[in-house]
């Protein structure tokens, strides 16, 4: 008999098409259509006597992405993939963790994520056992959609640096959320020295070389902080296990906050407005520590250079004073916690993830170039703001 199927379509972000063919030569098939807002779901229901037909999975590139989920009934009305493995007819759905009901009812987000992820693994010839334990656990829990699993598998077979970084949980979470994460780190560190030096010159002009030690201090602080400014506000895919039951209320709250206040939540995940505010507060505290520490290093090195210059050039016409270490370090920590924190969270979560990525995700070269341009402009703006802020609170003086 000819198999009859029912498909319902809802295009998502352009990427790939998963096509599924389910064959069952044993018994007649029946059609049960259903419609809802989801990726393509293909449900074929067939009375199976003693087994389920074979499943063949294929993938091809296409400017529109459709995800296809297939389920074959195993007996009466229960979907095999949903977990209702057999038994009498009707719509019992005994294995559906949503609480039973009609086997054709809409799956929750975790079910869809799990099915899609398993299809991606199947077509790649990988099993859950071949994956890192945290990734496998997230797939089984339905927290990773297929596109994230596909990105991980692609990076797992890429260059040695990416494969090495995937061994470390925090880097893995960032790379799985954004495959351009390492490129953005490179952009930030590469342009940091040049843009910050240019901004210092634009503010100081003819006094630039007279204040060279101060300029050097600013650039040293910037280099140390640049990496953390990309790393901390970067959107992530959470692979962490649930927080301990005996953890305090504050610990539980910040543990469940996103790493970027504006990042897009994956299917099956949601963040409240308060949790997003918590992300800004948590990253602000971390960046305050980073800024204070980097400034301590920068000002200490700068004062050492100034003192060495005084010893060598005792007859120098320009007398440069040592920079105040504690006040400068505290001021830079506050600047990082407020200005840098907000600017980089907006850049990573809004401009890059919500605006540039949806428009140019198929052209990685153009997307990388735009990220480079925006990050260069943001770095230059930050240098201008720091000089104004430092002069405003009196830790740097215009000569």
């Amino acid at each position: 008999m000819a198999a009859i199927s029912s498909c319902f379509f809802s295009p998502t972000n352009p990427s790939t098409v998963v096509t599924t063919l389910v064959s069952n030569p044993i018994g007649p098939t029946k059609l049960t259509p259903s419609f809802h807002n989801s990726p393509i779901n293909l449900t074929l229901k067939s009375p199976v006597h003693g087994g389920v037909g074979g499943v063949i999975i294929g993938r091809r590139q296409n400017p529109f992405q459709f995800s296809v989920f297939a389920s074959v009934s195993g007996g009466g009305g229960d979907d095999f993939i949903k977990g209702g493995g057999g038994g009498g007819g009707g719509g019992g759905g005994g294995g559906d963790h949503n609480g039973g009901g009609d086997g054709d009812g809409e799956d929750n987000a975790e079910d869809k994520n799990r099915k899609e992820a398993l299809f991606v693994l199947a077509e790649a010839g990988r099993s859950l056992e071949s994956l890192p334990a945290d990734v496998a656990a997230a797939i089984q829990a339905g927290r990773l959609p297929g596109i994230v699993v596909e990105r991980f598998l692609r990076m797992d077979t890429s260059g040695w640096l990416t494969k090495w970084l995937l061994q470390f949980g925090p880097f893995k979470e960032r790379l799985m959320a954004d495959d351009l994460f390492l490129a953005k780190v490179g952009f930030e560190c590469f342009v940091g020295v040049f843009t910050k030096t240019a901004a210092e010159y634009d503010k100081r002009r003819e006094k630039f070389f007279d204040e060279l030690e101060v300029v050097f201090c600013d650039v040293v602080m910037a280099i140390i902080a640049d990496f953390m400014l990309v790393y901390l506000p970067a959107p992530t895919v959470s692979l962490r296990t649930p927080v301990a039951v005996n953890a305090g209320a504050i610990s539980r709250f910040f543990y469940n906050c996103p790493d970027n206040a504006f990042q897009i939540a994956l299917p099956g995940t949601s963040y409240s407005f308060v949790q997003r505010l918590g992300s800004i507060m948590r990253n602000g505290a971390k960046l305050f520590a980073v800024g204070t520490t980097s400034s301590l290093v920068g000002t200490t090195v700068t004062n050492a250079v100034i003192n060495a210059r005084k010893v060598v050039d005792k007859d120098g016409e320009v007398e440069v004073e040592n920079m105040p270490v504690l006040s400068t370090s505290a001021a830079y920590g506050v600047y990082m916690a407020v200005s840098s924190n907000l600017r980089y969270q907006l850049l990573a979560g809004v401009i890059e993830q919500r605006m540039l990525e949806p428009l140019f995700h198929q052209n990685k070269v153009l997307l990388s170039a735009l990220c480079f341009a925006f990050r260069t402009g943001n770095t230059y703006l930050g240098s201008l703001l720091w000089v104004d802020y430092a002069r405003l609170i009196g830790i740097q003086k215009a000569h």
Side-chain angles (χ1 to χ4, degrees):
M1 283 192 161
I4 304 174
S5 63
S6 172
C7 302
F8 35 101
F9 301 84
S10 177
T12 59
N13 292 332
S15 177
T16 55
V17 176
V18 182
T19 56
T20 306
L21 173 62
V22 181
S23 61
N24 180 14
I26 300 177
T29 61
K30 62 180 180 180
L31 171 65
T32 309
S34 59
F35 301 87
H36 53 79
N37 291 327
S38 69
I40 301 180
N41 284 315
L42 172 60
T43 304
L44 287 84
K45 312 212 77 174
S46 174
V48 181
H49 306 287
V52 179
V55 178
I56 304 173
I57 302 174
R59 182 179 288 267
R60 63 183 179 85
Q61 297 295 323
N62 191 284
F64 298 97
Q65 178 188 11
F66 299 93
S67 298
V68 183
F69 304 97
S71 57
V72 183
S73 65
D78 298 335
D79 287 346
F80 176 77
I81 293 181
K82 290 180 184 177
D96 191 346
H97 72 264
N98 281 328
D102 187 359
D104 293 322
E106 181 178 359
D107 293 340
N108 61 26
E110 288 79 8
D111 285 336
K112 294 176 184 177
N113 288 344
R114 188 181 304 107
K115 292 176 185 179
E116 190 173 85
L118 292 176
F119 276 128
V120 171
L121 288 177
E123 71 168 342
R126 298 285 295 271
S127 63
L128 284 174
E129 291 74 17
S130 68
L131 302 178
D134 53 355
V135 177
I139 291 176
Q140 289 177 324
R143 291 189 282 120
L144 298 183
I147 190 172
V148 174
V149 177
E150 183 180 18
R151 183 181 299 140
F152 171 80
L153 295 177
R154 185 170 62 249
M155 291 187 295
D156 195 37
T157 57
S158 60
W160 67 269
L161 178 60
T162 302
K163 292 183 65 174
W164 180 70
L165 289 175
L166 286 175
Q167 300 177 58
F168 306 98
F171 281 100
K172 186 190 305 178
E173 292 182 332
R174 284 160 175 79
L175 288 167
M176 290 178 68
D178 181 7
D179 51 5
L180 291 180
F181 171 72
L182 287 183
K184 293 172 183 178
V185 172
F187 296 158
E188 199 71 35
C189 294
F190 177 78
V191 304
V193 175
F194 301 101
T195 56
K196 290 181 186 299
T197 303
E200 295 283 347
Y201 180 80
D202 184 60
K203 282 291 183 180
R204 304 177 193 278
R205 295 294 179 179
E206 67 276 0
K207 300 293 184 179
F208 179 80
F209 291 100
D210 293 339
E211 302 174 1
L212 194 58
E213 290 83 1
V214 178
V215 173
F216 180 75
C217 176
D218 289 347
V219 173
V220 169
M221 289 188 294
I223 294 174
I224 296 174
D226 275 340
F227 171 78
M228 298 305 294
L229 284 172
V230 181
Y231 177 84
L232 288 177
T236 59
V237 173
S238 180
L239 299 175
R240 296 171 295 180
T241 57
V243 67
V245 178
N246 59 351
I250 296 178
S251 298
R252 287 198 302 269
F253 170 74
F254 284 111
Y255 186 88
N256 293 319
C257 291
D259 285 283
N260 185 287
F262 307 100
Q263 75 177 63
I264 299 173
L266 293 176
T269 305
S270 63
Y271 301 113
S272 68
F273 178 74
V274 175
Q275 285 177 319
R276 293 184 182 275
L277 288 180
S279 172
I280 296 176
M281 296 171 58
R282 182 184 60 192
N283 278 356
K286 292 179 180 179
L287 287 174
F288 175 80
V290 170
T292 302
T293 303
S294 64
S295 183
L296 281 171
V297 175
T299 52
T300 301
V301 171
T302 299
N303 287 343
V305 172
I306 292 174
N307 293 331
R309 180 175 174 181
K310 288 178 180 179
V311 172
V312 174
D313 187 14
K314 295 181 179 180
D315 299 327
E317 297 180 358
V318 180
E319 182 70 20
V320 181
E321 297 179 356
N322 284 353
M323 296 190 62
V325 176
L326 295 180
S327 59
T328 300
S329 301
Y332 194 64
V334 171
Y335 172 79
M336 289 272 287
V338 179
S339 175
S340 299
N341 183 25
L342 292 175
R343 284 186 293 106
Y344 278 87
Q345 293 228 31
L346 285 167
L347 176 62
V350 177
I351 295 176
E352 290 179 342
Q353 190 179 53
R354 292 182 180 270
M355 295 172 60
L356 298 181
E357 172 67 23
L359 291 175
F360 305 106
H361 66 278
Q362 287 185 316
N363 191 333
K364 293 296 183 181
V365 175
L366 178 58
L367 179 59
S368 299
L370 290 172
C371 291
F372 177 83
F374 275 98
R375 286 186 173 272
T376 301
N378 180 58
T379 303
Y380 183 77
L381 173 63
S383 297
L384 297 178
L385 293 175
W386 163 247
V387 174
D388 288 337
Y389 168 70
R391 287 178 173 173
L392 178 65
I393 63 177
I395 60 173
Q396 291 183 13
K397 296 180 180 179
H399 294 283

